[in-house]
Amino acid sequence: MTSAGSPARRFATEAVHAGRDDLARQGLHAPPIDLSTTYPSYDSRAEAARIDAFATTGAEPEGPPVYARLGNPTVARFETALARLEGTESAVAFASGMAALSAILLVRASLGLRHVVAVRPLYGCSDHLLTAGLLGSEVTWTDPAGIADALRPDTGLVLVESPANPTLAEVDVRAAAHACGSVPLLVDNTFATPVLQRPVEQGARLVLHSATKYLGGHGDVLAGVVACDEEFAGRLRQVRFATGGVLHPLAGYLLLRGLSTLPVRVRAASANAAELVRRLAADPRVARVHYPSIGGAMVAFEVHGDPHQVIAGVRLITPAVSLGSVDTLIQHPASISHRIVDADDRRGAGVSDRLLRMSVGLEDVEDLWADLDAALGEEPAPARAAAGMRHA
């Protein structure tokens, strides 16, 4: 998205410049951080009119800011930039990815549309939020082929995650959007990022990111964001104002900075991941490797041995939750990120007890492999015996 009359800009250029277009006119190079919680106003009649307008449509108030819960100039820069990268009219940022998902559910529930159709696997807390009905929602779990049949008159949302957390299973977004009919399709695009996939171009109406991950990219910011059309964005802003799940300005600044290197980071980490996938797939200590067709920096693999020993054995790779940082992280989903999901549901979605999820970073791939190789330990006895027979 570019302003009228301006030339179209390629993705890498937008990543660097979107949200910063006005800086040169202000004599600035780095975006400012506005930490104000409130702003002076000497015309209370005009303020009343602006508040009335926001209450009606949720549109961002014209003129100077009013109060930090309605919006913040630094956060707005990040929202503008992310919308450009996802190819949407708008984006609305929140204090976390779960706050963003909660706001979407509340928007639909406010219209009496509490039923959600969802495809497993999802991020564990997203799964729990739906299953537990914490926001009054009711969920029908299905596979992608069953989306159309699962729809009801009160269905307010269809939710998919592609590639999915943690198995990296992919959904045909275009086919899913067609199956939804008039029901909005929400795609969690956290793993792919707009570098690898832009769901709105395939028919999705809503795109969710845990911005904590690749958008921030350095493990130092907690945030969520929804990219969507302006009509839905207005409703999200109203929920954000009412519930207070706002993003801190410093986080908005860090996210805008993170976007500028997003294409470079994702492509470099993806190259590392592809090489590790090649080596893991040929390793007798590894039972199965999961890697999406679109590529990316996320890898999942199941081991023949004890996955907990692998977690305990890494030294360069960090055993920790989260993902998308410049350094490589590994975790055992059945113990941590998806522990909150019922064990039978978890296994039914392909999250086995031997599955490990790895977020590949920017280290030298040889150092990463050396660390993984040591953590995987010796080959299982059957594999050693087979190797001995082959070389006898």
Side-chain angles (χ1 to χ4, degrees):
M1 296 174 61
T2 56
S3 59
S6 63
R9 301 193 298 205
R10 291 173 174 82
F11 188 90
T13 304
E14 285 283 35
V16 173
H17 290 279
R20 302 168 175 82
D21 295 328
D22 63 325
L23 293 181
R25 294 192 299 272
Q26 299 184 56
L28 299 173
H29 184 241
I33 305 175
D34 187 334
L35 296 173
S36 298
T37 57
T38 191
Y39 299 85
S41 174
Y42 295 93
D43 188 342
S44 55
R45 292 186 179 87
E47 289 295 79
R50 293 205 296 159
I51 295 298
D52 287 346
F54 177 83
T56 301
T57 67
E60 294 178 291
E62 296 289 337
V66 179
Y67 183 58
R69 196 148 43 83
L70 275 83
N72 171 272
T74 305
V75 172
R77 290 183 182 276
F78 162 65
E79 293 172 329
T80 296
L82 193 277
R84 295 268 186 91
L85 296 184
E86 283 288 4
T88 59
E89 290 180 324
S90 302
V92 184
F94 293 85
S96 70
M98 292 308 301
L101 176 57
S102 296
I104 295 170
L105 295 174
L106 289 171
V107 165
R108 302 306 284 165
S110 71
L111 301 174
L113 303 171
R114 296 182 177 274
H115 180 241
V116 178
V117 174
V119 174
R120 278 189 173 124
L122 295 175
Y123 168 54
C125 286
S126 299
D127 188 308
H128 178 66
L129 180 66
L130 294 174
T131 303
L134 295 176
L135 296 178
S137 57
E138 178 187 350
V139 62
T140 297
W141 296 102
T142 185
D143 59 25
I147 289 174
D149 290 338
L151 299 177
R152 305 187 328 203
D154 63 337
T155 303
L157 189 72
V158 175
L159 172 58
V160 302
E161 185 174 351
S162 184
N165 186 352
T167 65
L168 304 177
E170 293 175 274
V171 173
D172 184 333
V173 174
R174 193 176 302 279
H178 178 74
C180 288
S182 61
V183 177
L185 173 64
L186 167 61
V187 177
D188 187 327
N189 204 33
T190 298
F191 277 20
T193 80
V195 177
L196 302 177
Q197 174 177 265
R198 306 218 299 179
V200 169
E201 295 177 353
Q202 301 175 58
R205 185 178 178 187
L206 306 165
V207 181
L208 173 68
H209 287 273
S210 172
T212 305
K213 314 304 194 293
Y214 287 103
L215 304 189
H218 293 77
D220 55 8
V221 60
L222 191 69
V225 64
V226 183
C228 56
D229 57 73
E230 175 55 27
E231 179 185 358
F232 206 101
R235 301 300 301 272
L236 288 172
R237 292 188 198 104
Q238 290 176 321
V239 169
R240 183 178 64 182
F241 172 70
T243 60
V246 296
L247 184 66
H248 192 274
L250 180 58
Y253 171 84
L254 291 172
L255 288 166
L256 183 64
R257 187 176 69 171
L259 290 184
S260 64
T261 61
L262 179 65
V264 177
R265 288 186 286 105
V266 168
R267 288 168 184 147
S270 298
N272 275 351
E275 176 58 21
L276 291 177
V277 164
R278 186 186 69 81
R279 300 186 189 192
L280 287 166
D283 196 302
R285 298 167 293 183
V286 177
R288 185 180 181 189
V289 178
H290 305 258
Y291 192 62
S293 63
I294 64 171
M298 297 300 300
V299 177
F301 59 98
E302 298 170 48
V303 295
H304 287 295
D306 184 352
H308 301 285
Q309 289 185 2
V310 179
I311 294 293
V314 292
R315 293 296 178 265
L316 175 66
I317 298 169
T318 302
V321 296
S322 201
L323 56 108
S325 186
V326 292
D327 61 319
T328 301
L329 307 176
I330 193 169
Q331 64 112 348
H332 182 240
S335 295
I336 305 180
S337 65
H338 288 70
R339 189 67 179 178
I340 201 169
V341 179
D342 177 81
D344 289 338
D345 291 336
R346 187 171 67 230
R347 295 181 185 116
V351 186
S352 80
D353 291 342
R354 293 185 181 273
L355 183 75
L356 293 167
R357 190 196 74 187
M358 184 165 60
S359 168
V360 181
L362 303 181
E363 302 94 338
D364 189 288
V365 72
E366 296 299 337
D367 292 327
L368 291 174
W369 177 247
D371 195 39
L372 266 182
D373 184 38
L376 285 167
E378 295 185 0
E379 294 181 13
R384 290 199 303 274
M389 292 176 63
R390 286 195 301 269
H391 295 293

